[in-house]
């Protein structure tokens, strides 16, 4: 898919570093989460940051299309913002992988799961390591990581 493509309704559509599913959240939820996390930025600035993180320079036609997007495309680019996507994806990952240990959360069928989550124990260790990385990037007072995996 290209940066300005949208998946058809009913198809799985994962975006960003978190792999969040675009259809799982309403536009209002995504916008409110973005505004809460990035309280000093406009929505256009958050979209611009997402575009820049993805390698689309300010002023290019792709960057401008992302910043001026609407509907599901706009929602997908808000979710591609690392903080927004991870914040919203956390509850799904916690429910599916930490609380219930669903089989798709770990295994050796894909290279990344084989490396980071070949079994439940290693998957939970990878989550702890990611939490430590995120804690280093965002101060505790930001509320960035609200998941149940706490090392403190």
């Amino acid at each position: 898919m290209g940066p300005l493509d949208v998946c058809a309704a009913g198809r799985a559509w994962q975006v960003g570093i978190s792999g969040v599913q675009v259809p799982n959240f309403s536009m209002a939820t995504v916008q409110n989460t973005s505004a809460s996390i990035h309280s000093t930025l406009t929505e256009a600035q958050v979209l611009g940051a997402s575009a820049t993180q993805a390698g689309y320079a300010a002023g290019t036609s792709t960057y401008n299309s992302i910043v001026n997007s609407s509907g599901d495309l706009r929602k997908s680019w808000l979710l591609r913002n690392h903080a927004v996507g991870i914040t919203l994806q956390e509850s799904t990952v916690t429910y599916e992988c930490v609380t219930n240990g669903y089989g798709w959360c770990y295994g050796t069928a894909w290279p990344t799961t084989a490396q980071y989550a070949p079994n439940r124990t290693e998957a939970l260790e990878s989550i702890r390591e990611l939490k430590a990385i995120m804690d280093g990037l965002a101060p505790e007072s930001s509320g960035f990581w609200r998941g149940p995996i706490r090392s403190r």
Side-chain angles (χ1 to χ4, degrees):
M1 287 187 63
L4 304 177
D5 293 334
V6 176
C7 277
R11 293 200 55 205
W13 182 18
Q14 293 177 287
V15 297
I17 194 170
S18 70
V20 64
Q21 293 275 348
V22 176
N24 285 5
F25 300 97
S26 70
M27 177 64 97
T29 296
V30 174
Q31 288 174 317
N32 290 338
T33 301
S34 178
S36 174
I37 292 169
H38 301 294
S39 60
T40 62
L41 301 177
T42 67
E43 189 168 294
Q45 288 171 320
V46 174
L47 290 162
S50 297
T52 301
Q53 286 173 340
Y56 303 106
T60 63
S61 61
T62 301
Y63 175 96
N64 292 336
S65 293
I66 291 166
V67 171
N68 297 311
S69 62
S70 61
D72 284 344
L73 181 61
R74 186 175 192 85
K75 181 170 61 164
S76 79
W77 278 98
L78 287 170
L79 287 167
R80 286 177 172 118
N81 178 273
H82 301 339
V84 175
I86 290 171
T87 296
L88 288 170
Q89 183 71 328
E90 182 273 328
S91 63
T92 300
V93 171
T94 297
Y95 177 79
E96 293 180 359
C97 301
V98 177
T99 304
N100 291 297
Y102 293 154
W104 57 78
C105 296
Y106 41 82
T108 56
W110 300 287
T112 42
T113 55
Q115 187 172 0
Y116 299 106
N119 55 56
R120 184 176 172 86
T121 300
E122 292 297 318
L124 293 176
E125 180 59 26
S126 291
I127 290 170
R128 277 189 278 285
E129 290 171 359
L130 286 170
K131 182 213 174 295
I133 292 167
M134 296 303 168
D135 282 349
L137 295 174
E140 185 72 27
S141 62
S142 73
F144 177 75
W145 184 270
R146 295 182 292 265
I149 305 292
R150 308 292 287 174
S151 60
R152 298 175 215 179

